[in-house]
Short mmCIF file of all heavy atoms in Angstrom, two decimals:
data_model
loop_
_atom_site.label_atom_id
_atom_site.label_comp_id
_atom_site.label_asym_id
_atom_site.label_seq_id
_atom_site.Cartn_x
_atom_site.Cartn_y
_atom_site.Cartn_z
N GLU A 1232 111.96 128.21 126.61
CA GLU A 1232 111.77 129.40 127.43
C GLU A 1232 112.32 130.66 126.78
O GLU A 1232 112.04 131.77 127.26
CB GLU A 1232 112.37 129.19 128.82
CG GLU A 1232 111.62 128.13 129.62
CD GLU A 1232 112.14 127.96 131.03
OE1 GLU A 1232 113.06 128.73 131.42
OE2 GLU A 1232 111.65 127.07 131.74
N SER A 1233 113.12 130.53 125.73
CA SER A 1233 113.59 131.71 125.01
C SER A 1233 114.03 131.31 123.61
O SER A 1233 114.32 130.14 123.34
CB SER A 1233 114.77 132.37 125.74
OG SER A 1233 115.97 131.65 125.54
N ALA A 1234 114.10 132.29 122.72
CA ALA A 1234 114.55 132.03 121.35
C ALA A 1234 115.99 131.55 121.34
O ALA A 1234 116.36 130.66 120.57
CB ALA A 1234 114.40 133.30 120.52
N GLU A 1235 116.82 132.12 122.20
CA GLU A 1235 118.23 131.76 122.23
C GLU A 1235 118.43 130.32 122.71
O GLU A 1235 119.24 129.58 122.14
CB GLU A 1235 118.99 132.72 123.15
CG GLU A 1235 119.03 134.16 122.67
CD GLU A 1235 117.72 134.92 122.88
OE1 GLU A 1235 116.88 134.45 123.70
OE2 GLU A 1235 117.53 135.95 122.22
N LEU A 1236 117.68 129.92 123.74
CA LEU A 1236 117.80 128.56 124.25
C LEU A 1236 117.32 127.55 123.22
O LEU A 1236 117.91 126.48 123.04
CB LEU A 1236 116.99 128.42 125.54
CG LEU A 1236 117.51 129.18 126.76
CD1 LEU A 1236 116.49 129.12 127.89
CD2 LEU A 1236 118.85 128.62 127.22
N HIS A 1237 116.24 127.89 122.54
CA HIS A 1237 115.67 126.98 121.54
C HIS A 1237 116.66 126.74 120.40
O HIS A 1237 116.95 125.60 120.02
CB HIS A 1237 114.38 127.58 120.99
CG HIS A 1237 113.52 126.65 120.21
ND1 HIS A 1237 113.63 126.52 118.84
CD2 HIS A 1237 112.54 125.79 120.60
CE1 HIS A 1237 112.74 125.64 118.42
NE2 HIS A 1237 112.07 125.17 119.45
N ARG A 1238 117.22 127.82 119.87
CA ARG A 1238 118.19 127.68 118.80
C ARG A 1238 119.42 126.90 119.26
O ARG A 1238 119.91 126.02 118.55
CB ARG A 1238 118.61 129.06 118.28
CG ARG A 1238 119.66 129.00 117.17
CD ARG A 1238 120.09 130.38 116.72
NE ARG A 1238 119.07 131.05 115.93
CZ ARG A 1238 119.00 130.98 114.60
NH1 ARG A 1238 119.88 130.24 113.92
NH2 ARG A 1238 118.06 131.62 113.95
N ALA A 1239 119.91 127.22 120.43
CA ALA A 1239 121.11 126.54 120.95
C ALA A 1239 120.87 125.04 121.13
O ALA A 1239 121.74 124.22 120.83
CB ALA A 1239 121.55 127.17 122.26
N ALA A 1240 119.69 124.68 121.62
CA ALA A 1240 119.39 123.26 121.85
C ALA A 1240 119.35 122.49 120.54
O ALA A 1240 119.97 121.43 120.41
CB ALA A 1240 118.06 123.12 122.60
N TYR A 1241 118.62 123.02 119.57
CA TYR A 1241 118.44 122.26 118.33
C TYR A 1241 119.66 122.29 117.41
O TYR A 1241 119.98 121.29 116.76
CB TYR A 1241 117.18 122.72 117.61
CG TYR A 1241 115.93 122.16 118.26
CD1 TYR A 1241 115.16 122.93 119.12
CD2 TYR A 1241 115.57 120.83 118.06
CE1 TYR A 1241 114.03 122.40 119.74
CE2 TYR A 1241 114.46 120.29 118.68
CZ TYR A 1241 113.69 121.08 119.52
OH TYR A 1241 112.59 120.54 120.14
N THR A 1242 120.35 123.42 117.35
CA THR A 1242 121.58 123.41 116.55
C THR A 1242 122.65 122.58 117.26
O THR A 1242 123.50 121.97 116.59
CB THR A 1242 122.10 124.83 116.29
OG1 THR A 1242 122.29 125.52 117.53
CG2 THR A 1242 121.12 125.61 115.42
N GLY A 1243 122.60 122.53 118.57
CA GLY A 1243 123.52 121.66 119.30
C GLY A 1243 123.31 120.20 118.95
O GLY A 1243 124.27 119.44 118.80
N LEU A 1244 122.06 119.81 118.79
CA LEU A 1244 121.77 118.43 118.40
C LEU A 1244 122.16 118.18 116.95
O LEU A 1244 122.74 117.13 116.63
CB LEU A 1244 120.28 118.14 118.58
CG LEU A 1244 119.78 118.06 120.03
CD1 LEU A 1244 118.26 117.99 120.08
CD2 LEU A 1244 120.40 116.87 120.76
N SER A 1245 121.87 119.12 116.06
CA SER A 1245 122.20 118.89 114.65
C SER A 1245 123.70 118.80 114.43
O SER A 1245 124.18 118.08 113.57
CB SER A 1245 121.59 119.98 113.75
OG SER A 1245 122.27 121.21 113.87
N ARG A 1246 124.46 119.52 115.24
CA ARG A 1246 125.92 119.49 115.08
C ARG A 1246 126.55 118.17 115.51
O ARG A 1246 127.74 117.96 115.32
CB ARG A 1246 126.55 120.67 115.83
CG ARG A 1246 126.30 122.00 115.14
CD ARG A 1246 127.12 123.16 115.72
NE ARG A 1246 126.98 124.34 114.90
CZ ARG A 1246 126.09 125.31 115.10
NH1 ARG A 1246 125.26 125.24 116.13
NH2 ARG A 1246 126.02 126.35 114.28
N ARG A 1247 125.74 117.30 116.07
CA ARG A 1247 126.22 115.94 116.36
C ARG A 1247 126.34 115.12 115.07
O ARG A 1247 126.91 114.03 115.07
CB ARG A 1247 125.26 115.22 117.32
CG ARG A 1247 125.04 115.96 118.63
CD ARG A 1247 126.20 115.80 119.56
NE ARG A 1247 126.15 116.74 120.67
CZ ARG A 1247 126.76 116.56 121.83
NH1 ARG A 1247 127.49 115.46 122.02
NH2 ARG A 1247 126.69 117.47 122.77
N VAL A 1248 125.77 115.66 114.00
CA VAL A 1248 125.76 114.95 112.72
C VAL A 1248 126.68 115.67 111.75
O VAL A 1248 126.57 116.89 111.56
CB VAL A 1248 124.32 114.90 112.14
CG1 VAL A 1248 124.33 114.18 110.79
CG2 VAL A 1248 123.38 114.21 113.12
N ALA A 1249 127.61 114.95 111.16
CA ALA A 1249 128.54 115.55 110.20
C ALA A 1249 127.81 115.86 108.90
O ALA A 1249 127.16 115.00 108.31
CB ALA A 1249 129.70 114.58 109.93
N LEU A 1250 127.92 117.12 108.47
CA LEU A 1250 127.30 117.56 107.22
C LEU A 1250 128.37 118.21 106.34
O LEU A 1250 129.40 118.68 106.86
CB LEU A 1250 126.17 118.55 107.51
CG LEU A 1250 124.97 117.99 108.30
CD1 LEU A 1250 123.99 119.10 108.64
CD2 LEU A 1250 124.28 116.89 107.52
N PRO A 1251 128.17 118.27 105.02
CA PRO A 1251 129.23 118.74 104.12
C PRO A 1251 129.57 120.22 104.25
O PRO A 1251 130.62 120.65 103.80
CB PRO A 1251 128.66 118.44 102.73
CG PRO A 1251 127.19 118.36 102.92
CD PRO A 1251 127.00 117.77 104.28
N ASP A 1252 128.70 120.99 104.87
CA ASP A 1252 128.91 122.43 105.01
C ASP A 1252 128.52 122.81 106.44
O ASP A 1252 127.37 122.62 106.84
CB ASP A 1252 128.05 123.18 103.99
CG ASP A 1252 128.08 124.68 104.15
OD1 ASP A 1252 128.78 125.18 105.05
OD2 ASP A 1252 127.38 125.36 103.38
N PRO A 1253 129.44 123.37 107.24
CA PRO A 1253 129.11 123.74 108.62
C PRO A 1253 127.94 124.72 108.71
O PRO A 1253 127.20 124.73 109.70
CB PRO A 1253 130.41 124.39 109.12
CG PRO A 1253 131.49 123.80 108.27
CD PRO A 1253 130.86 123.61 106.92
N GLY A 1254 127.75 125.52 107.67
CA GLY A 1254 126.65 126.46 107.68
C GLY A 1254 125.29 125.81 107.57
O GLY A 1254 124.27 126.47 107.79
N LEU A 1255 125.26 124.53 107.26
CA LEU A 1255 123.99 123.83 107.13
C LEU A 1255 123.23 123.75 108.46
O LEU A 1255 122.00 123.69 108.46
CB LEU A 1255 124.21 122.42 106.58
CG LEU A 1255 124.35 122.33 105.07
CD1 LEU A 1255 124.90 120.97 104.66
CD2 LEU A 1255 123.01 122.60 104.38
N HIS A 1256 123.95 123.75 109.55
CA HIS A 1256 123.26 123.61 110.84
C HIS A 1256 122.37 124.82 111.11
O HIS A 1256 121.22 124.68 111.53
CB HIS A 1256 124.28 123.39 111.95
CG HIS A 1256 125.10 122.16 111.75
ND1 HIS A 1256 124.59 120.89 111.90
CD2 HIS A 1256 126.40 122.01 111.36
CE1 HIS A 1256 125.53 120.00 111.62
NE2 HIS A 1256 126.64 120.65 111.30
N ASP A 1257 122.88 126.01 110.85
CA ASP A 1257 122.04 127.20 111.00
C ASP A 1257 120.97 127.25 109.90
O ASP A 1257 119.84 127.70 110.15
CB ASP A 1257 122.89 128.46 110.97
CG ASP A 1257 123.66 128.66 112.27
OD1 ASP A 1257 123.08 128.43 113.35
OD2 ASP A 1257 124.85 129.02 112.21
N ALA A 1258 121.32 126.80 108.70
CA ALA A 1258 120.34 126.79 107.61
C ALA A 1258 119.18 125.85 107.93
O ALA A 1258 118.02 126.15 107.61
CB ALA A 1258 121.01 126.37 106.31
N LEU A 1259 119.48 124.73 108.55
CA LEU A 1259 118.43 123.80 108.96
C LEU A 1259 117.50 124.46 109.98
O LEU A 1259 116.27 124.33 109.90
CB LEU A 1259 119.04 122.54 109.55
CG LEU A 1259 119.64 121.55 108.55
CD1 LEU A 1259 120.48 120.49 109.27
CD2 LEU A 1259 118.55 120.87 107.73
N TYR A 1260 118.09 125.14 110.93
CA TYR A 1260 117.25 125.79 111.95
C TYR A 1260 116.36 126.84 111.30
O TYR A 1260 115.16 126.93 111.60
CB TYR A 1260 118.11 126.41 113.04
CG TYR A 1260 117.28 126.90 114.20
CD1 TYR A 1260 116.84 126.03 115.20
CD2 TYR A 1260 116.86 128.23 114.27
CE1 TYR A 1260 116.04 126.46 116.23
CE2 TYR A 1260 116.05 128.67 115.30
CZ TYR A 1260 115.65 127.79 116.27
OH TYR A 1260 114.83 128.22 117.29
N GLU A 1261 116.93 127.64 110.40
CA GLU A 1261 116.14 128.66 109.73
C GLU A 1261 115.02 128.03 108.90
O GLU A 1261 113.90 128.54 108.85
CB GLU A 1261 117.04 129.51 108.83
CG GLU A 1261 118.06 130.35 109.57
CD GLU A 1261 117.44 131.39 110.47
OE1 GLU A 1261 116.36 131.93 110.11
OE2 GLU A 1261 118.02 131.68 111.53
N ARG A 1262 115.32 126.93 108.23
CA ARG A 1262 114.32 126.28 107.40
C ARG A 1262 113.10 125.85 108.20
O ARG A 1262 111.96 126.01 107.75
CB ARG A 1262 114.94 125.05 106.71
CG ARG A 1262 113.94 124.08 106.07
CD ARG A 1262 113.18 124.70 104.92
NE ARG A 1262 112.13 123.80 104.44
CZ ARG A 1262 111.34 124.05 103.40
NH1 ARG A 1262 111.46 125.17 102.72
NH2 ARG A 1262 110.42 123.18 103.03
N HIS A 1263 113.31 125.33 109.40
CA HIS A 1263 112.16 124.80 110.14
C HIS A 1263 111.20 125.91 110.57
O HIS A 1263 110.05 125.65 110.89
CB HIS A 1263 112.62 123.97 111.35
CG HIS A 1263 112.49 124.67 112.67
ND1 HIS A 1263 113.48 125.51 113.17
CD2 HIS A 1263 111.50 124.67 113.59
CE1 HIS A 1263 113.10 125.98 114.34
NE2 HIS A 1263 111.91 125.50 114.63
N MET A 1264 111.66 127.17 110.55
CA MET A 1264 110.78 128.28 110.89
C MET A 1264 110.01 128.82 109.68
O MET A 1264 109.18 129.71 109.81
CB MET A 1264 111.60 129.42 111.52
CG MET A 1264 112.22 129.05 112.85
SD MET A 1264 113.00 130.46 113.68
CE MET A 1264 114.45 130.71 112.65
N SER A 1265 110.29 128.28 108.51
CA SER A 1265 109.63 128.73 107.29
C SER A 1265 108.22 128.14 107.20
O SER A 1265 108.01 126.96 107.49
CB SER A 1265 110.44 128.28 106.07
OG SER A 1265 109.69 128.39 104.90
N PRO A 1266 107.22 128.94 106.79
CA PRO A 1266 105.88 128.39 106.59
C PRO A 1266 105.86 127.19 105.64
O PRO A 1266 105.02 126.30 105.77
CB PRO A 1266 105.10 129.57 106.02
CG PRO A 1266 105.76 130.76 106.60
CD PRO A 1266 107.23 130.41 106.61
N ALA A 1267 106.82 127.16 104.70
CA ALA A 1267 106.87 126.05 103.75
C ALA A 1267 107.21 124.72 104.41
O ALA A 1267 106.96 123.66 103.84
CB ALA A 1267 107.89 126.35 102.65
N ALA A 1268 107.77 124.79 105.62
CA ALA A 1268 108.15 123.56 106.32
C ALA A 1268 106.98 122.92 107.06
O ALA A 1268 107.12 121.82 107.59
CB ALA A 1268 109.28 123.86 107.31
N TRP A 1269 105.83 123.60 107.08
CA TRP A 1269 104.70 123.13 107.88
C TRP A 1269 103.46 122.94 107.01
O TRP A 1269 103.20 123.71 106.10
CB TRP A 1269 104.39 124.15 108.98
CG TRP A 1269 105.51 124.29 109.95
CD1 TRP A 1269 106.58 125.13 109.87
CD2 TRP A 1269 105.68 123.53 111.15
NE1 TRP A 1269 107.41 124.94 110.94
CE2 TRP A 1269 106.89 123.96 111.74
CE3 TRP A 1269 104.93 122.54 111.78
CZ2 TRP A 1269 107.36 123.44 112.95
CZ3 TRP A 1269 105.40 122.01 112.98
CH2 TRP A 1269 106.60 122.46 113.55
N SER A 1270 102.69 121.91 107.36
CA SER A 1270 101.41 121.65 106.68
C SER A 1270 100.32 121.53 107.74
O SER A 1270 100.50 120.84 108.75
CB SER A 1270 101.47 120.34 105.88
OG SER A 1270 102.42 120.43 104.85
N PRO A 1271 99.17 122.18 107.52
CA PRO A 1271 98.07 122.01 108.46
C PRO A 1271 97.44 120.63 108.29
O PRO A 1271 97.43 120.07 107.19
CB PRO A 1271 97.09 123.11 108.07
CG PRO A 1271 97.38 123.34 106.61
CD PRO A 1271 98.85 123.09 106.42
N TYR A 1272 96.93 120.10 109.38
CA TYR A 1272 96.17 118.85 109.27
C TYR A 1272 94.91 119.14 108.45
O TYR A 1272 94.40 120.28 108.45
CB TYR A 1272 95.82 118.32 110.65
CG TYR A 1272 97.00 117.61 111.30
CD1 TYR A 1272 97.85 118.30 112.16
CD2 TYR A 1272 97.27 116.28 111.01
CE1 TYR A 1272 98.95 117.66 112.73
CE2 TYR A 1272 98.36 115.63 111.58
CZ TYR A 1272 99.20 116.32 112.44
OH TYR A 1272 100.29 115.70 113.00
N PRO A 1273 94.41 118.14 107.71
CA PRO A 1273 93.31 118.38 106.76
C PRO A 1273 92.07 119.02 107.37
O PRO A 1273 91.37 119.78 106.69
CB PRO A 1273 93.00 116.97 106.23
CG PRO A 1273 94.29 116.23 106.36
CD PRO A 1273 94.91 116.75 107.63
#
Side-chain angles (χ1 to χ4, degrees):
E1232 293 183 4
S1233 77
E1235 295 76 18
L1236 292 171
H1237 194 268
R1238 179 182 286 269
Y1241 283 101
T1242 56
L1244 290 171
S1245 74
R1246 287 190 172 94
R1247 303 284 166 157
V1248 179
L1250 296 174
D1252 174 1
L1255 278 166
H1256 300 289
D1257 285 319
L1259 284 168
Y1260 189 82
E1261 294 297 326
R1262 166 65 187 183
H1263 103 274
M1264 295 187 288
S1265 166
W1269 296 88
S1270 296
Y1272 282 94

